[in-house]
Amino acid sequence: MERAVELAKEGVNSCGGPFGAVIVKDGKIIGEAYNEVTKTKDPTAHAEVLAIKRACKKLETFDLTGCDLYSSCEPCPMCLAAMYWARINKLYYSSTREDAKKAGFKDSIIYNEVMLRNEERQLVTVKMKIKGSNEPFDLWIKKKDKICY
């Protein structure tokens, strides 16, 4: 956890953001990062997502089963979802989403929006029906050599 907080401070000092994350497997760090949103002009460059990418690259897999993630702050919904997709074993965090809110980060809007029906969200969400829209899923279901994730 100390390394995650140290990375968060590095992020602040290098035009990133005040968030750090470390992924550990078998007692060894296999991925780490600080927030690089403003540095890279990428809204998905959160510390946890970058640490997951780096750990996956190092292990040459998309499955981080058996890995723990240490985050300097309670993760936003995007990062939390990425942890589920990566199959992170356990999440440890230090600061809370309320602490982040006090510092000007507005994760709470996303937490609230996710629970709403499409028509109630601030982000206008429109389902479009087009011919063949489910064909990719049909192909996937029939594919014999697919790699499930």
Side-chain angles (χ1 to χ4, degrees):
M1 185 59 73
E2 290 173 357
R3 178 63 181 147
V5 172
E6 183 180 311
L7 285 163
K9 291 189 281 189
E10 284 181 37
V12 171
N13 292 324
S14 65
C15 300
F19 303 95
V22 174
I23 297 178
V24 174
K25 183 169 187 166
D26 300 326
K28 294 187 174 103
I29 293 176
I30 58 164
E32 65 178 29
Y34 56 75
N35 181 295
E36 296 183 17
V37 170
T38 56
K39 183 177 182 179
T40 61
K41 312 295 187 269
D42 177 356
T44 67
H46 290 204
E48 297 89 342
V49 170
L50 295 175
I52 288 169
K53 288 180 178 188
R54 291 171 186 166
C56 287
K57 185 174 182 179
K58 181 170 186 161
L59 297 180
E60 298 181 346
T61 183
F62 59 84
D63 184 343
L64 297 179
T65 298
C67 296
D68 296 335
L69 192 147
Y70 294 81
S71 179
S72 64
C73 187
E74 184 176 3
C76 75
M78 177 184 69
C79 293
L80 188 60
M83 287 177 221
Y84 278 99
W85 281 114
R87 299 182 181 106
I88 293 293
N89 183 57
K90 192 179 265 187
L91 163 66
Y92 299 91
Y93 69 91
S94 184
S95 298
T96 66
R97 62 176 100 163
E98 289 79 20
D99 297 322
K101 185 176 182 178
K102 289 175 191 170
F105 293 90
K106 299 177 179 148
D107 298 355
S108 59
I109 185 172
I110 303 168
Y111 280 106
N112 296 334
E113 290 278 307
V114 172
M115 301 303 294
L116 299 175
R117 295 182 313 199
N118 289 349
E119 60 273 9
E120 297 174 325
R121 292 182 181 158
Q122 290 181 31
L123 174 64
V124 176
T125 305
V126 181
K127 180 177 182 340
M128 295 179 66
K129 291 184 180 184
I130 64 166
K131 185 178 180 179
S133 64
N134 282 335
E135 287 177 11
F137 292 118
D138 295 339
L139 288 170
W140 178 256
I141 290 166
K142 292 175 188 171
K143 186 171 176 58
K144 300 290 184 209
D145 62 342
K146 64 186 166 208
I147 299 172
C148 294
Y149 60 95

